[in-house]
């Protein structure tokens, strides 16, 4: 008996020693739950940030039984436009900040952004500025000269100012994703080509139209020599906005003449296949790209039209598509104003752009500026002072709302995907795609004021899921 009591006391003492921590005795941690059986993979972002683009360990099984919940029906027998990708503008300032990171941090961040296996988000489309944008540290072009000088042969053309940050970062991105699509857009021509000899405002002098066309040719060739393929260009960023720094005004008739008589023929003569995309400004003026597409001479060189949404409705994209269904639609810029409202920005950008732009025929969705610092820098004097990057880069890298907005599409809706039919019910805004490997992707926003349980129906079977109000879910099967 004494021996049994002693053994018992010894066991209790051993238990107390083994299990005692700073908070006293504790139970051993439970085994983590294993993956559940599921037909549908589900990634979730909640407006309160309790889930930030996290894969959910829930069982979503397709069943033949019906219920009374609202139902989104996905139909891959109906298909619409192809998808080129989702991403950001890699501004000069973004490149500078990324290039300032330690090699290990930079490598990890670029993999996170541009690979798409594991936990990476698979950015597949980038926009870059041809010369400076307003989110560069200073204004510059690739042919800057002392006042009063001109260079009609472009003998002094050089992209050397991009060798410090942009080109090194782009080379690393291309190494990670050789098929990434890159769109180039100028904020201004070299000032000696302009009516006001200034980076801000002014217009391109007609006598320099052919020279400026050769400037684009030289740019594309110079980037190609660096191993960087420019998939498309727009002749001018925001051609109706001359108040930015830099900026340049280019009316529709001027852009039509530039494309028809100079840029298109220059590309043709140089054997350049880079797409020419017109407009690149707000949806309140679909007449601008329409006027260019009405011009048969210009239209033959134009792949499509690009839009921003600082004015006008997203449905204007469909208006232009219906008038010129053989020409593509692109969505190339939208900012998040700092400091931002995570819940409100998530809802608006996913609903209006990721869902709205693609349901209105856009082949891509690009958020403005990939990265800024905590003070929204760098930017030019007179440039955007409150543009919140998808990333805030300082000592650490912070992920902001635009990171998650794009991730919900970019990781799964790979280039070559096709939008397919899906219906909208009970304020459950959504868009569906079929990927090149045959998977279906459904992005859903609960745009209502209350949590919602709902069904996803495909091929006669139904799976039931739920989203709180303001939440975004991506479903893949």
């Amino acid at each position: 008996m004494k021996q049994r009591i002693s053994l018992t006391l010894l066991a209790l003492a051993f238990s107390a020693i083994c299990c005692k921590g700073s908070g006293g005795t504790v139970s051993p941690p439970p085994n983590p739950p294993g993956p559940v059986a599921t037909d549908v993979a589900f990634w979730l972002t909640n407006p309160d940030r309790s889930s930030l683009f996290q894969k959910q360990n829930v069982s979503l099984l397709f069943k033949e039984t019906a219920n009374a919940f609202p139902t989104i029906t996905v139909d891959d027998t109906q298909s619409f436009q192809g998808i080129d990708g989702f991403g950001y503008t890699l501004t000069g300032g973004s490149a500078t900040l990324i290039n300032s990171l330690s090699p290990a941090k930079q490598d990890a961040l670029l993999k996170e952004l541009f690979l798409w296996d594991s936990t990476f988000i698979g950015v597949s489309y980038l926009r870059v500025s041809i010369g400076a944008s307003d989110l560069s540290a200073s204004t510059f072009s690739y042919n800057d000269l002392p006042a009063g000088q001109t260079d009609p042969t472009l003998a002094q053309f050089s992209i050397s100012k991009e060798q410090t940050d942009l080109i090194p970062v782009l080379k690393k991105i291309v190494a990670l994703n050789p098929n990434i699509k890159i769109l180039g857009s100028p904020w201004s021509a070299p000032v000696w080509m302009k009516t006001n000899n200034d980076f801000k405002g002014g217009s391109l002098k007609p006598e320099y139209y052919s020279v400026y066309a050769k400037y684009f040719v030289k740019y594309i060739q110079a980037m190609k020599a660096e191993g960087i393929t420019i998939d498309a260009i727009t002749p001018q960023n925001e051609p109706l906005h001359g108040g930015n720094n830099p900026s340049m005004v280019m009316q529709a008739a001027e852009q039509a003449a530039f494309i028809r008589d100079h840029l298109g023929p220059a590309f043709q003569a140089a054997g350049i296949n880079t797409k020419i995309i017109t407009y690149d400004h707000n949806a309140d003026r679909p007449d601008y790209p329409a006027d260019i597409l009405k011009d048969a001479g210009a239209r033959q060189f134009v792949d499509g039209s690009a839009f921003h949404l600082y004015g006008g409705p997203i449905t204007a994209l469909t208006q232009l598509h219906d008038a010129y269904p053989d020409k593509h639609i692109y969505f190339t810029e939208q900012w998040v104003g700092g400091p931002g409202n995570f819940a409100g920005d998530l809802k608006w950008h996913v609903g209006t752009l990721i869902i709205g732009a693609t349901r209105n025929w856009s082949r891509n969705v690009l958020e403005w500026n990939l990265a800024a610092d905590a003070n929204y820098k760098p930017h030019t004097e007179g440039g955007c002072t409150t543009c919140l990057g998808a990333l805030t880069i300082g000592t650490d890298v912070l992920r902001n709302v635009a990171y998650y907005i794009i991730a919900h599409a970019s990781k799964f809706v790979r280039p070559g995907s096709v939008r397919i039919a899906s219906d909208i019910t009970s304020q459950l805004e959504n868009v569906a795609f079929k990927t090149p490997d045959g998977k279906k992707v459904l992005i859903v926003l609960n745009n209502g004021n209350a949590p919602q349980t709902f069904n996803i129906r495909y091929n006669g079977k139904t799976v039931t899921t739920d989203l709180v109000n303001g939440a975004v879910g991506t479903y893949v099967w």
Side-chain angles (χ1 to χ4, degrees):
M1 178 66 74
K2 287 181 181 178
Q3 186 179 24
R4 186 180 300 167
I5 292 170
S6 297
L7 288 172
T8 302
L9 291 172
L10 182 63
L12 288 170
F14 179 77
S15 175
I17 292 167
C18 286
C19 299
K20 187 171 177 63
S22 59
T25 57
V26 294
S27 300
N31 291 325
V36 299
T38 189
D39 293 329
V40 181
F42 169 32
W43 278 259
L44 173 68
T45 297
N46 280 329
D48 64 359
R49 310 191 209 198
S50 57
S51 180
L52 290 170
F53 192 59
Q54 291 175 339
K55 188 176 183 181
Q56 303 300 294
N57 192 33
V58 294
S59 181
L60 296 176
L61 298 172
F62 278 110
K63 300 175 181 177
E64 296 186 2
T65 54
N67 59 51
F69 297 122
T71 299
I72 299 169
T73 300
V74 176
D75 179 5
D76 61 1
T77 67
Q78 296 183 62
S79 60
F80 303 92
Q81 81 276 20
I83 297 299
D84 286 344
F86 298 84
Y88 306 96
T89 298
L90 178 67
T91 60
S94 298
T96 298
L97 291 166
I98 291 170
N99 212 30
S100 72
L101 294 170
S102 69
K105 279 189 176 181
Q106 184 181 153
D107 180 65
L109 178 61
L110 293 177
K111 285 178 178 176
E112 178 185 337
L113 290 170
F114 296 100
L115 296 180
W116 55 97
D117 57 344
S118 183
T119 58
F120 307 141
I121 70 167
V123 170
S124 51
Y125 205 118
L126 285 175
R127 184 177 180 225
V128 297
S129 60
I130 300 174
S133 76
D134 61 308
L135 292 190
S136 298
S138 60
T139 55
F140 66 91
S141 78
Y142 302 139
N143 200 301
D144 292 331
L145 303 172
Q149 293 188 18
T150 63
D151 181 19
T153 65
L154 299 179
Q156 297 183 60
F157 178 94
S158 173
I159 60 168
S160 60
K161 289 185 178 177
E162 307 291 19
Q163 295 285 359
T164 304
D165 295 315
L166 181 69
I167 287 173
V169 171
L170 277 176
K171 284 183 173 181
K172 292 171 185 174
I173 292 168
V174 170
L176 293 169
N177 180 3
N179 296 317
I180 193 162
K181 285 187 164 54
I182 301 172
L183 166 69
S185 301
W187 267 237
S188 174
V191 300
W192 55 269
M193 297 186 192
K194 297 174 68 177
T195 55
N196 66 346
N197 293 297
D198 195 277
F199 274 109
K200 184 176 179 179
S203 299
L204 184 65
K205 291 180 177 179
E207 60 263 35
Y208 288 123
Y209 277 23
S210 62
V211 179
Y212 196 40
K214 291 175 186 174
Y215 180 92
F216 280 89
V217 170
K218 280 185 168 287
Y219 165 72
I220 291 163
Q221 292 172 336
M223 294 296 274
K224 187 68 174 178
E226 298 289 345
I228 299 162
T229 299
I230 302 300
D231 179 72
I233 59 91
T234 62
Q236 176 60 41
N237 169 68
E238 298 191 343
L240 298 177
H241 175 32
N244 202 357
N245 185 28
S247 60
M248 186 171 79
V249 174
M250 184 180 277
Q251 300 296 338
E254 294 171 322
Q255 190 163 120
F258 178 61
I259 293 170
R260 179 189 66 231
D261 301 330
H262 304 279
L263 187 61
F267 278 17
Q268 202 170 54
I272 286 174
N273 297 318
T274 298
K275 303 178 186 80
I276 298 173
I277 299 174
T278 191
Y279 192 41
D280 209 4
H281 207 172
N282 292 332
D284 58 351
R285 291 293 304 276
D287 59 299
Y288 186 115
D291 284 348
I292 293 169
L293 295 176
K294 286 174 188 173
D295 186 315
R299 185 172 66 245
Q300 66 178 318
F301 297 115
V302 172
D303 173 85
S305 305
F307 288 89
H308 308 174
L309 202 66
Y310 306 112
I314 198 67
T315 52
L317 282 60
T318 288
Q319 177 185 332
L320 187 68
H321 167 269
D322 289 350
Y324 298 95
D326 59 323
K327 298 300 181 182
H328 293 144
I329 300 290
Y330 300 89
F331 191 90
T332 51
E333 181 185 318
Q334 196 70 26
W335 80 318
V336 175
N341 176 315
F342 188 93
D345 292 330
L346 179 72
K347 180 190 286 192
W348 189 91
H349 283 252
V350 172
T352 311
L353 305 182
I354 300 296
I355 295 169
T358 54
R359 288 188 79 101
N360 283 279
W361 295 96
S362 185
R363 299 178 68 87
N364 69 346
V365 175
L366 305 182
E367 290 278 317
W368 175 237
N369 72 309
L370 175 56
D373 70 13
N375 297 309
Y376 313 114
K377 292 179 178 180
H379 58 76
T380 63
E381 185 177 345
C384 181
T385 58
T386 54
C387 283
L388 179 66
L391 307 171
T392 298
I393 295 181
T395 305
D396 297 313
V397 177
L398 304 178
R399 289 146 192 83
N400 301 318
V401 67
Y403 174 93
Y404 302 104
I405 291 163
I406 291 297
H408 268 278
S410 60
K411 184 176 180 69
F412 314 104
V413 187
R414 302 305 302 161
S417 298
V418 177
R419 181 169 68 90
I420 56 177
S422 63
D423 50 5
I424 293 177
T425 180
S426 298
Q427 294 189 293
L428 294 166
E429 304 288 335
N430 67 82
V431 64
F433 305 91
K434 187 174 182 178
T435 70
D437 60 0
K439 289 187 176 180
K440 273 63 65 181
V441 180
L442 179 70
I443 301 169
V444 185
L445 164 71
N446 179 358
N447 202 27
N449 296 318
Q452 180 69 68
T453 301
F454 61 96
N455 300 316
I456 301 168
R457 188 168 180 82
Y458 174 72
N459 271 0
K461 293 186 177 181
T462 299
V463 63
T464 303
T465 183
D466 59 81
L467 291 171
V468 301
N469 40 310
V472 178
T474 297
Y475 300 86
V476 183
W477 67 94

